[in-house]
């Protein structure tokens, strides 16, 4: 009993000792406590937040960084903030994707965070320039400023960030070249300058950066040849210069870099034959993108040595019409992506040849004549298949068993009959392009497509007719133009709640635009209904605020232009031609900051096209066609002073967005007619990025031709015929050095043809007929090559190509003196408009900055005026 009691006492004693020991450990070795953010760091962050406003109107920003920060809490716990555990100094600031707007100031409190090592400010609307004071953050290892709307020059002070390892400036609008100082960043391993508009030759300062492993210069404006000594980039693994204007041959020193794994050079101007044998480590190579260049000659047989290759693009290779040994590709067993599209080979290729590539997922053989046998065993893992323009006559049956297929393009072949019913049962099929064939219908019932997973469908340029198919509610892009559909536009289309693009152009639809289109008020970005027989008015509520492209030309629509278009701030393309719209000129369209193409031709528009004492400003407009209407009035002399894009060499690329599975797809087909060189022509697709035209012909405009037209130096077509313009032809037209077509016929112009026009070397077509012009026709190759009809019905005009000889020396001397006087007067006035234009261009930058604040107020005021 005593022994048991003693044991109990010992157990209690040991328990107390254990508890005491554990308590001692807790006291002596406390658990780590997260350090509090230093007050100076917290204040700097809080002030930095206050330097910007929120680019959001719906309140969704409230719980996003930095708007979720609370001033009375530890800033090291704030979303997007990380601190050094020893010092409490902020070392990471990650505000990527936050709704911040406003400039990054040179004295920003951001630069007080001097221990910052990683800074991420991507996908913001910061705008302005990157301040030189960025080098205050001298310990930065990572700097990511992607897609922040920065412009101007890249600051040379970036070269002072000697610890920098990663620099991402992609997706901005910089000008100039890369500063030489970036050659000082000896620790830099990753550089991303994609889509930055930086120009010039390849930046040779990069060759000094031997630690670089990753370079991306995609889709900027680089040109010239690559340096011959690329081998100094000893550690380079990833090199992407796609989408530039590099030319010449690929230096052998680049291919010989032993660490190189991924080489992307597509969409450049490289030429000549290619020697793949220079590749140092064939087994390491994973990516080789050489497509859409000017390479010529045979496909290098040494390609078969790249046994580790996964991605290969040799599209648009010029084989000079020779035969290609396609067995080269059979050795590349690891290929998952193969693009051989548009090789100009004479081969007829058996598709079964590629059945040995069992890992293949993406295959593009467009433009190659194919033989498709019934026993084909193409990889069952195929996900993307493009067989466009392959001279195929029957729908490929082997597709039926390709259950992984999500992308199918068999456009521009000669396939007829009905689209097979089994196609729509493929379980993951998302994109289908069967356009430009001879399909007449769909197998099965009218709802055969409705149960499919298809989101993007292009059936344009076939012979489809009734019944119109019921589409799946998941449909986002539908293009059915150039078919034979008739009757009213089916109301079932309005059930497509995610519809972004609807193209029903050039069918036989009649009736009015369905009232249910108001369901697309906030979703539809592309609406093309041109070339039908639609009638009625265009109700205000049908206009989607998200519109980028609107084409309803070639119908019988009437009434006024919907004033709700003023809300379409993204609108780039608007075509209303050949309708019965009866309205005054829509001055309020100048509030649309992105409008590039405006066509109002052949309607019943009337009244003046200018406000008294106020010039019209369309800073991004490239095509302006208001011909064949009833516009009247006099144009102010400075009318064209604010038309910036037509005055500069800046090209605005057609940026209507559509990206699917890494491939750029255009689900819209912009097209518009214009008169060029006296003939009607149609602009389609990428041609829009070249043409800069003005057509005001066939109206009742009067007075002088505005002298500010001479500012539009990039203009290609100018048509002011069939109006009531008077006085002299402005000599400032001689500044239009890119002009190819000029029509001033059927007006009341007088005086001489300015001799400056004889120096326009691109001016291939001109028409001055039916005016009151006089004096000698200027001498110049282009003018002398014109037909005499271009100068007809000007009784006092003389000289070649007319058969009328000019008068004596006195008359010529008087005419010459008159021209000199006019020239001096014109030069004085043009100088003043150039000054005005320069002032305007400078103002645009500031104006666009404050327009976000003012536009809503001004727009609402304007709408009230319109409706009052």
């Amino acid at each position: 009993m005593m022994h048991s009691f003693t044991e109990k006492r010992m157990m209690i004693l040991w328990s107390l000792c254990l508890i005491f020991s554990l308590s001692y450990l807790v006291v002596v070795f406390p658990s780590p406590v997260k350090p509090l953010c230093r007050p100076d760091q917290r204040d700097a962050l809080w002030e930095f937040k206050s330097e910007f406003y929120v680019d959001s109107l719906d309140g969704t920003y409230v719980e996003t960084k930095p708007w979720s920060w609370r001033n009375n809490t530890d800033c090291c716990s704030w979303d997007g903030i990380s601190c050094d555990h020893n010092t409490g100094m902020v070392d990471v600031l990650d505000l990527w994707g936050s709704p911040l707007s406003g400039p990054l100031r040179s004295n920003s409190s951001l630069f007080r965070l001097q221990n910052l090592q990683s800074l991420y400010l991507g996908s913001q609307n910061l705008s302005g320039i990157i301040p030189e004071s960025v080098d205050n953050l001298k310990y930065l290892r990572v700097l990511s400023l992607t897609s922040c709307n920065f412009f101007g020059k890249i600051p040379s002070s970036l070269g002072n960030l000697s610890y920098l390892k990663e620099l991402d400036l992609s997706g901005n609008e910089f000008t100039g070249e890369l500063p030489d100082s970036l050659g000082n960043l000896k620790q830099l391993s990753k550089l991303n300058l994609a889509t930055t508009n930086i120009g010039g030759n390849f930046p040779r300062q990069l060759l000094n950066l031997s630690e670089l492993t990753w370079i991306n210069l995609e889709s900027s404006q680089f040109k010239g040849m690559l340096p011959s000594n690329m081998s100094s980039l000893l550690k380079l693994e990833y090199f992407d210069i796609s989408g530039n204007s590099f030319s010449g041959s690929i230096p052998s020193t680049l291919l010989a870099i032993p660490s190189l794994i991924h080489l992307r050079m597509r969409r450049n101007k490289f030429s000549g034959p290619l020697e793949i044998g220079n590749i140092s480590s064939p087994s390491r190579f994973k990516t080789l993108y050489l497509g859409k260049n000017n390479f010529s000659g045979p496909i290098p047989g040494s390609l078969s040595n790249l046994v580790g290759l996964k991605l290969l693009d040799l599209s648009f290779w010029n084989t000079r019409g020779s035969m290609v040994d396609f067995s080269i590709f059979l050795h590349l067993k690891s290929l998952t992506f193969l693009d051989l599209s548009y090789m100009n080979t004479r081969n007829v290729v058996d598709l079964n040849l590629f059945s040995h590539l069992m890992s293949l997922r993406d295959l593009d053989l467009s433009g190659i004549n194919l033989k498709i046998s019934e026993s084909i065993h193409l990889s069952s893992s195929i996900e993307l298949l493009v067989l466009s323009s392959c001279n195929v006559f029957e729908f490929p049956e082997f597709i039926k068993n390709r259950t992984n297929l999500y992308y199918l393009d068999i456009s521009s072949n000669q396939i007829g009959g009905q689209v097979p019913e089994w196609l729509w049962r493929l379980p993951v099929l998302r994109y289908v392009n069967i356009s430009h064939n001879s399909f007449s219908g769909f197998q099965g019932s009218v709802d055969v497509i409705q149960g499919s997973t298809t989101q993007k469908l292009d059936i344009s340029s076939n012979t489809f007719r009734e019944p119109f198919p019921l589409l799946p509610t998941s449909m986002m892009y539908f293009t059915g133009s150039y078919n034979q559909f008739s009757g009213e536009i089916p109301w079932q289309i309005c059930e497509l709640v995610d519809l972004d693009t609807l193209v029903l152009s050039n069918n036989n639809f009649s009736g009015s635009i369905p009232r249910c289109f108001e369901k697309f008020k906030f979703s539809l970005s592309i609406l093309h209904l041109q070339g039908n027989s639609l009638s009625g008015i265009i109700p205000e509520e049908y206009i989607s605020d998200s519109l980028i492209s609107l084409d309803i030309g070639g119908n019988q629509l009437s009434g006024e232009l919907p004033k709700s278009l003023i809300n379409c701030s993204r609108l780039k393309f608007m075509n209303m031609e050949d309708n019965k719209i009866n309205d005054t000129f829509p001055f309020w369209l100048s509030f649309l900051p992105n409008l590039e193409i405006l066509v109002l031709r052949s309607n019943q528009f009337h009244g003046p096209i200018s406000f008294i004492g106020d010039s019209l400003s369309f800073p991004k407009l490239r095509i302006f066609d208001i011909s064949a209407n009833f516009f009247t009035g006099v144009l102010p002399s400075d009318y064209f002073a604010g038309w910036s894009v037509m005055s500069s060499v800046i090209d605005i690329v057609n940026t209507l967005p559509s990206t699917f599975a890494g491939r750029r797809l255009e689900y819209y087909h912009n097209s518009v007619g214009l008169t060029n060189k006296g003939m009607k022509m149609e602009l389609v697709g990428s041609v829009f990025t070249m043409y800069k035209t003005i057509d005001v012909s066939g109206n009742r405009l009067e007075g002088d031709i505005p002298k500010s037209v001479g500012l539009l130096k990039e203009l290609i077509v100018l048509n002011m015929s069939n109006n009531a313009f008077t006085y002299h032809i402005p000599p400032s037209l001689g500044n239009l050095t890119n002009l190819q077509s000029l029509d001033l016929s059927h007006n009341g112009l007088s005086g001489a043809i300015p001799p400056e026009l004889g120096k326009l070397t691109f001016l291939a077509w001109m028409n001055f007929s039916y005016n009151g012009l006089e004096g000698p026709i200027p001498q110049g190759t282009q003018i002398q090559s014109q037909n005499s009809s271009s100068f007809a019905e000007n009784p006092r005009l003389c000289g070649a190509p007319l058969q009328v000889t000019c008068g004596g020396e006195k008359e010529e001397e008087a005419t010459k003196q008159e021209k000199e006087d006019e020239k001096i007067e014109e030069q004085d006035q043009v100088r003043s408009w150039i000054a005005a234009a320069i002032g305007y261009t400078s103002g645009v930058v500031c104006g666009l900055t404050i327009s976000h604040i003012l536009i809503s107020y001004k727009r609402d005021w304007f709408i009230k005026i319109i409706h009052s």
Side-chain angles (χ1 to χ4, degrees):
M1 188 77 175
M2 178 67 74
H3 180 71
S4 175
F5 178 75
T6 302
E7 286 182 348
K8 285 182 179 179
R9 289 180 64 186
M10 290 297 293
M11 288 290 293
I12 292 171
L13 184 62
W14 278 108
S15 298
L16 289 172
C17 288
L18 180 61
I19 292 170
F20 177 77
S21 299
L22 291 174
S23 301
Y24 178 78
L25 288 173
V26 169
V27 173
V28 176
F29 301 106
S31 58
V33 177
K34 198 170 186 179
L36 292 176
C37 176
R38 289 170 45 131
D40 62 316
Q41 301 285 283
R42 182 196 60 222
D43 293 345
L45 287 169
W46 197 255
E47 289 176 32
F48 177 67
K49 169 187 172 182
S50 68
E51 292 172 12
F52 303 94
Y53 64 91
V54 185
D55 192 11
S56 177
L57 300 176
D58 57 5
T60 57
Y61 65 87
V62 173
E63 294 305 321
T64 62
K65 53 188 178 183
W67 310 107
S68 60
W69 296 353
R70 298 293 178 264
N71 198 16
N72 57 351
T73 59
D74 177 14
C75 73
C76 291
S77 66
W78 291 352
D79 192 13
I81 304 297
S82 176
C83 298
D84 183 280
H85 290 291
N86 296 319
T87 65
M89 302 283 282
V90 175
D91 56 10
V92 175
L93 175 59
D94 183 359
L95 297 182
W96 197 96
S98 301
L100 294 178
S101 293
L104 181 60
R105 304 170 188 166
S106 59
N107 61 346
S108 172
S109 56
L110 170 69
F111 302 128
R112 303 209 310 259
L113 304 174
Q114 294 193 2
N115 275 47
L116 208 58
Q117 296 186 23
S118 298
L119 175 60
Y120 302 92
L121 294 179
S123 293
Q124 309 279 1
N125 188 26
L126 298 181
S127 68
I129 63 172
I130 299 175
E132 291 282 350
S133 50
V134 69
D135 63 352
N136 287 346
L137 305 175
K138 57 185 177 181
Y139 296 112
L140 273 181
R141 266 73 169 172
V142 178
L143 177 60
S144 177
L145 302 177
T146 180
S147 302
C148 287
N149 287 320
F150 285 122
F151 54 82
K153 292 186 176 182
I154 294 176
S156 59
S157 61
L158 283 177
N160 298 329
L161 301 176
S162 56
Y163 294 98
L164 205 61
K165 292 187 175 182
E166 296 184 15
L167 176 61
D168 188 347
L169 301 177
S170 60
N172 289 288
E173 297 291 330
F174 297 118
T175 55
E177 300 184 5
L178 201 65
D180 292 339
S181 60
L182 262 63
N184 300 329
L185 303 178
K186 301 300 184 182
Q187 297 191 40
L188 196 68
S189 63
K190 183 176 180 180
L191 176 64
N192 191 349
L193 299 175
T195 60
T196 54
N197 284 336
I198 298 174
N201 295 325
F202 181 86
R204 289 183 176 270
Q205 56 268 48
L206 300 187
L207 301 180
N208 298 327
L209 308 181
S210 57
E211 295 297 315
L212 275 174
T213 61
W214 203 93
I215 298 177
N216 189 349
L217 307 180
E218 181 187 5
S219 298
S220 286
Q221 297 185 27
F222 291 105
K223 60 184 179 180
M225 301 177 66
L226 292 179
S228 58
N229 57 335
M230 299 289 288
S231 55
S232 61
L233 299 170
L234 295 173
K235 298 182 179 180
L236 192 63
E237 298 176 6
Y238 181 99
F239 189 59
D240 189 347
I241 56 173
S242 304
N244 285 285
S245 297
F246 287 115
S247 57
S249 58
I250 297 178
S252 58
T253 54
L254 174 63
L255 298 173
I257 296 174
S259 56
L260 192 60
I261 299 175
H262 305 283
L263 181 60
R264 298 170 180 257
M265 312 179 78
R266 65 196 308 264
R267 292 183 290 112
N268 276 284
K269 298 178 181 179
F270 289 112
S271 58
L274 181 69
E275 184 50 64
I276 297 294
N278 292 322
I279 290 181
S280 174
S281 304
S283 60
R284 289 177 59 92
F285 238 74
K286 303 296 183 187
T287 304
L288 186 60
Y289 278 3
L290 302 176
K292 294 188 177 178
N293 279 285
N294 298 322
F295 291 116
S296 59
I299 303 295
S302 52
L303 265 174
S304 59
N305 297 328
L306 306 182
V307 292
L309 205 60
K310 291 181 177 293
L311 310 174
L312 176 61
D313 179 3
L314 299 178
S315 58
F316 290 85
W317 193 289
N318 182 11
T319 64
R320 298 171 181 165
S322 63
M323 301 291 285
V324 173
D325 181 10
F326 283 88
S327 65
I328 293 171
F329 307 107
L330 302 186
H331 300 275
L332 309 179
K333 303 291 187 182
S334 300
L335 276 181
T336 61
F337 175 97
L338 178 60
D339 187 349
L340 303 178
S341 59
Y342 298 101
M343 288 183 173
N344 62 337
T345 174
R346 292 188 287 112
N347 298 52
V348 176
V349 181
D350 190 338
L351 188 58
N352 210 33
L353 179 70
F354 300 94
S355 61
H356 299 284
L357 305 177
M358 300 308 296
S359 299
L360 204 59
R361 292 199 300 266
D362 295 359
L363 178 62
D364 189 343
L365 299 175
S366 299
I368 297 176
N369 285 337
L370 289 181
K371 175 186 175 184
I372 303 178
S373 59
E374 294 182 4
S375 59
I376 189 171
H377 294 94
L378 201 63
S379 170
S380 59
S381 60
I382 282 287
E383 298 176 357
L384 181 148
L385 183 62
V386 184
L387 305 178
S388 177
S389 303
C390 290
N391 206 26
V392 177
F393 290 86
E394 295 183 358
F395 205 103
E397 283 285 326
F398 76 92
I399 294 174
K400 181 189 297 187
N401 301 317
R402 299 304 177 269
T403 54
N404 291 317
L405 192 68
Y406 72 87
Y407 184 111
L408 175 65
D409 184 349
I410 54 171
S411 62
S412 301
N413 283 291
Q414 302 179 52
I415 309 173
Q418 295 189 314
V419 182
E421 186 176 2
W422 54 258
L423 177 65
W424 313 109
R425 290 198 286 268
L426 293 177
V428 295
L429 193 64
R430 296 289 186 272
Y431 172 81
V432 179
N433 187 349
I434 56 175
S435 65
H436 295 86
N437 279 286
S438 300
F439 291 111
S440 58
F442 299 91
Q443 282 183 0
S445 60
V446 69
D447 61 350
V448 63
I449 306 178
Q450 196 170 30
S452 75
T453 57
T454 309
Q455 295 177 341
K456 299 162 186 175
L457 176 60
D458 189 345
I459 64 171
S460 59
S461 298
N462 281 283
T463 59
F464 288 109
R465 52 177 64 87
E466 266 39 66
F468 192 88
L470 297 180
L471 302 172
T473 55
S474 59
M475 188 68 66
M476 298 172 62
Y477 306 90
F478 179 74
T479 301
S481 58
Y482 290 96
N483 280 289
Q484 298 176 20
F485 293 117
S486 59
E488 296 188 347
I489 295 176
W491 62 267
Q492 289 89 346
I493 287 178
C494 299
E495 301 300 318
L496 311 180
V497 293
D498 296 320
L499 195 64
D500 174 271
T501 296
L502 179 62
V503 180
L504 298 175
S505 312
N506 300 98
N507 280 281
N508 298 311
F509 287 115
S510 57
S512 58
I513 300 175
R515 294 194 63 83
C516 60
F517 270 28
E518 61 186 347
K519 290 185 178 181
F520 304 139
K521 180 68 176 173
F522 302 106
S523 64
L524 206 60
S525 63
I526 297 169
L527 177 61
H528 288 189
L529 304 174
Q530 83 272 23
N532 286 285
S533 299
L534 300 173
S535 57
I537 63 170
I538 313 166
E540 300 276 344
E541 60 271 18
Y542 292 6
I543 300 300
S544 167
D545 292 351
S546 300
L547 276 177
I548 297 175
S549 181
L550 174 63
D551 191 342
I552 53 178
N555 284 286
Q556 300 174 31
L557 298 167
S558 57
E560 298 182 348
L561 212 57
K563 304 300 186 295
S564 52
L565 282 166
I566 199 173
N567 299 317
C568 303
S569 59
R570 301 171 63 203
L571 192 65
K572 295 174 180 287
F573 176 91
M574 188 172 84
N575 182 15
M576 298 283 178
E577 66 180 334
D578 293 321
N579 278 289
K580 299 178 180 179
I581 300 173
N582 191 333
D583 200 354
T584 55
F585 185 80
F587 293 101
W588 39 270
L589 288 180
S590 62
F591 293 129
L592 303 183
N594 296 302
L595 191 63
E596 298 178 20
I597 297 165
L598 175 61
V599 181
L600 305 177
R601 180 179 59 241
S602 298
N603 278 282
Q604 298 174 25
F605 286 99
H606 54 272
I609 62 172
S610 66
F611 279 135
I612 297 176
D614 189 9
S615 60
L616 192 63
S617 173
F618 283 117
K620 290 191 177 180
L621 204 64
R622 291 183 290 113
I623 296 179
F624 180 67
D625 189 345
I626 60 170
S627 60
N629 280 286
F630 301 97
F631 290 118
T632 57
V634 175
L635 303 184
S637 189
D638 64 344
Y639 189 75
F640 298 108
W643 298 35
S644 305
V645 164
M646 293 193 191
S647 305
S648 66
V649 294
I650 298 172
D651 279 328
I652 304 236
V653 179
N654 197 336
T655 53
L656 300 186
S658 290
T659 302
F660 189 71
R663 300 173 60 87
R664 181 168 177 78
L665 307 173
E666 296 184 348
Y667 301 104
Y668 54 91
H669 301 280
N670 281 343
S671 65
V672 68
L674 60 82
T675 302
N676 183 16
K677 300 180 182 178
M679 297 181 293
K680 288 191 175 181
M681 61 178 291
E682 186 176 25
L683 293 183
V684 180
S686 61
V687 182
F688 280 113
T689 65
M690 304 169 42
Y691 266 80
K692 297 180 180 179
T693 72
I694 291 177
D695 191 344
V696 298
S697 63
N699 284 286
R700 299 170 183 173
L701 302 174
E702 54 189 352
D704 295 0
I705 293 176
K707 297 176 179 62
S708 57
V709 72
L711 297 173
L712 310 181
K713 295 181 179 180
E714 297 302 303
L715 203 59
I716 292 176
V717 176
L718 177 61
N719 190 346
M720 308 185 88
S721 64
N722 290 280
N723 277 286
F725 288 115
T726 54
Y727 197 56
H728 298 167
I729 299 174
S732 60
L733 286 176
N735 297 329
L736 308 184
T737 52
N738 289 298
L739 199 63
Q740 298 177 13
S741 175
L742 173 65
D743 193 345
L744 301 178
S745 64
H746 294 273
N747 279 288
L749 298 170
S750 60
I753 297 176
E756 290 83 357
L757 297 184
K759 301 174 184 177
L760 298 180
T761 54
F762 291 113
L763 188 54
W765 189 91
M766 59 197 81
N767 192 349
F768 301 100
S769 62
Y770 293 90
N771 279 287
L773 300 172
E774 59 185 68
I777 296 173
Q779 299 300 300
T781 305
Q782 297 294 72
I783 289 185
Q784 301 303 309
S785 65
Q786 300 297 306
N787 191 287
S788 60
S789 61
S790 297
F791 305 93
E793 301 302 324
N794 289 282
R796 300 178 62 187
L797 209 56
C798 62
L802 294 177
Q803 300 300 315
V804 181
T805 57
C806 294
E809 293 182 4
K810 259 187 193 178
E811 185 178 339
E812 289 182 14
E813 188 64 33
T815 303
K816 183 178 179 181
Q817 185 60 46
E818 185 180 351
K819 287 179 186 175
E820 287 297 325
D821 293 342
E822 289 176 6
K823 182 177 179 180
I824 292 171
E825 181 186 349
E826 288 294 334
Q827 286 175 342
D828 290 342
Q829 295 192 38
V830 168
R831 283 193 196 100
S832 66
W833 295 127
I834 289 174
I838 292 171
Y840 175 84
T841 304
S842 304
V844 164
V845 176
C846 299
L848 289 177
T849 305
I850 65 171
S851 62
H852 183 86
I853 302 170
L854 298 179
I855 189 69
S856 298
Y857 171 79
K858 194 170 183 180
R859 181 183 59 198
D860 295 342
W861 171 83
F862 202 96
I863 292 174
K864 288 178 181 178
I865 296 296
I866 290 170
H867 290 292
S868 62

